[in-house]
Amino acid sequence: MSEELNKYDEVEKAVDNPSEERIRLKLRDDAAFAKEVAFHAGLKKAISDQGAFEFEAMLTEVEDRLYNSKKSNLRIVRWAISIAASIVLIIGAYTLMEWRAADPEYLFAQHFQAYQPGHTDRSAETVVTDELRAFEAYEQGNYERAIALFSNLLIEQDNPQYRLLLAISWMQQDQPGQAIPALKDILSENDTSYQVEAAWYLALAYLQMGELPEAKAQLKRVEASNSKFSPLARQVLEEL
Amino acid sequence: MAKDEEFIHALKTGDSKYIEHIYREYLPAISQFVNKNNGNNEDARDIFQEALVILHQKLKQPGFELTSSVFTYIFAICKNLWLKRLEKSRKLRVTFLDQQELSIVDELDSHIEKESQYRLYRKKFRELTAGCQKILELFFGGHSMKEITKIMDFGSVQYTKKRKFKCKEKLISLIQEDDQFKELT
């Protein structure tokens, strides 16, 4: 997903800086790229033309007045249009709020924070172990490296904390589908450490995936867990 | 000619009172033409609106002056738009442009095509959710992801980037799925 997220970056850069040497050459030599850039430039031009939007809206209003309404009293029509505009505005604002509130991915973005593992003073460690490298990568936000290192560590030793940090790293990489099995594994283990954390992040992973029923079910479990995540889960459930 | 000047002024400024006169005076002729050529009143209104947008945009360009009457321009653009649609939809082409209309269309040719595309893009943009419209409006308006995150009160720049990406994908698919886009490209 993160790679896909960047798929328009180069094209958008070319729209904004067509005279940059590297872009200029690519536009000259790569017809498909030039076509793509022309399309995106057209989109930008069309959408940012506020005057055209207003002119088209005015034409539609004139057409409605002339052809879709039998009322001849212009004042009544104008009054109705202004009332309608107010209603549209209110509905629009309400819809925007609803859209934001009910949007699971929005809620995920609002509530997701990377878990901070308990502080361990590793400065005295003279041997740089894979575990140390994995924690460092995670703490420094190098989640791609953290995924590789924690995955290797898990081959050697099953550890719920490794699983949790691996799952959160996947979520940071916008791949909740990879995080969910790791979190479920923690919840199915006999070892009760990190269960609450796993349940909370599992709920967030479902939100990130847009899977609302699963997210709600998981949030209810977290809410009932009487843990530090319970108030957060309650808040998200209320927002949903 | 005084009427033409009023209409030109209305088209430049978007004065709805005079635009209404333009509809009343000129749309019947366009409807007659479209109805005679495998279309209906709705088609006529659609291409008439498109012609007015094209003329409005063209009139805003510095140095552009009409070389014929407003009606001749509108009629030539409408005829051209309708004939192109007929051609693309493989319906019978029955009417041709006369010499004056041809010279108007030649003069406006690339502008007509581009404006038709832009009008379609705006039409599809209006079909997006209010949230998507706002994000893309800010993005195309030159705001950075950081600024959009702040304005929209999103939790992170990464989320904003993802949301913008999804909105843009949706807009592009709406455009590309439209038959008119296939006709225009």
Side-chain angles (χ1 to χ4, degrees), chain A residues 121 176 186 194 201 228 230:
Chain A
D121 185 6
I186 301 172
Y194 300 104
Y201 282 101
K228 63 178 179 179
S230 300

Side-chain angles (χ1 to χ4, degrees), chain A:
Chain A
M1 185 69 182
S2 55
E3 201 174 291
E4 199 191 12
L5 272 184
N6 301 327
K7 86 174 190 187
Y8 296 132
D9 283 3
E10 200 180 6
V11 171
E12 285 166 356
K13 204 173 170 186
V15 170
D16 292 334
N17 310 292
S19 53
E20 195 181 289
E21 186 60 7
R22 188 186 60 81
I23 292 168
R24 200 180 57 76
L25 292 175
K26 193 166 182 189
L27 285 170
R28 190 193 64 189
D29 301 333
D30 185 342
F33 178 71
K35 195 178 172 190
E36 182 83 352
V37 171
F39 173 70
H40 283 253
L43 267 187
K44 183 177 180 172
K45 193 170 191 307
I47 307 302
S48 53
D49 189 345
Q50 196 53 39
F53 273 109
E54 283 166 13
F55 189 75
E56 284 169 0
M58 182 272 297
L59 293 180
T60 304
E61 200 180 297
V62 167
E63 285 179 18
D64 285 346
R65 210 154 56 213
L66 290 173
Y67 309 108
N68 298 335
S69 170
K70 299 289 176 195
K71 290 175 188 170
S72 57
N73 188 330
L74 203 59
R75 285 175 66 188
I76 292 172
V77 175
R78 280 191 180 144
W79 173 79
I81 287 167
S82 65
I83 295 288
S86 308
I87 292 168
V88 166
L89 205 65
I90 292 163
I91 292 172
Y94 178 73
T95 309
L96 182 61
M97 284 162 67
E98 282 290 291
W99 172 77
R100 291 262 307 270
D103 182 355
E105 289 181 45
Y106 175 74
L107 287 173
F108 165 77
Q110 290 292 91
H111 294 280
F112 178 71
Q113 276 189 330
Y115 173 78
Q116 295 302 314
H119 181 73
T120 311
D121 185 6
R122 299 190 184 91
S123 59
E125 292 180 30
T126 51
V127 180
V128 180
T129 62
D130 282 347
E131 185 187 50
L132 184 62
R133 288 194 192 95
F135 276 94
E136 271 178 5
Y138 180 87
E139 283 164 7
Q140 287 164 7
N142 187 349
Y143 297 111
E144 202 177 331
R145 184 168 158 78
I147 289 167
L149 291 166
F150 280 122
S151 300
N152 279 338
L153 285 169
L154 280 163
I155 295 168
E156 301 293 324
Q157 183 197 347
D158 195 8
N159 177 321
Q161 192 185 21
Y162 293 168
R163 280 197 193 285
L164 179 69
L165 299 181
L166 173 67
I168 295 170
S169 299
W170 278 121
M171 289 166 80
Q172 288 281 15
Q173 292 292 93
D174 226 352
Q175 298 197 41
Q178 300 277 1
I180 288 171
L183 294 166
K184 281 184 173 172
D185 281 349
I186 301 172
L187 291 171
S188 65
E189 280 170 8
N190 292 330
D191 185 344
T192 54
S193 49
Y194 300 104
Q195 294 256 333
V196 177
E197 287 83 358
W200 169 244
Y201 282 101
L202 182 58
L204 290 180
Y206 282 131
L207 281 179
Q208 195 177 7
M209 297 272 288
E211 292 177 4
L212 215 51
E214 289 84 354
K216 275 186 179 174
Q218 199 57 37
L219 284 165
K220 281 178 186 164
R221 283 174 63 181
V222 178
E223 189 190 16
S225 68
N226 205 19
S227 68
K228 63 178 179 179
F229 293 109
S230 300
L232 289 171
R234 195 171 305 120
Q235 191 190 333
V236 180
L237 279 167
E238 278 167 13
E239 288 177 51
L240 279 170

Side-chain angles (χ1 to χ4, degrees), chain B residues 138-161:
Chain B
L138 291 166
F139 171 71
F140 287 125
H143 288 274
S144 69
M145 286 293 127
K146 205 174 164 185
E147 287 167 337
I148 300 172
T149 305
K150 201 175 171 191
I151 295 166
M152 299 295 291
D153 195 22
F154 287 152
S156 69
V157 170
Q158 183 65 11
Y159 175 76
T160 307
K161 194 169 181 190

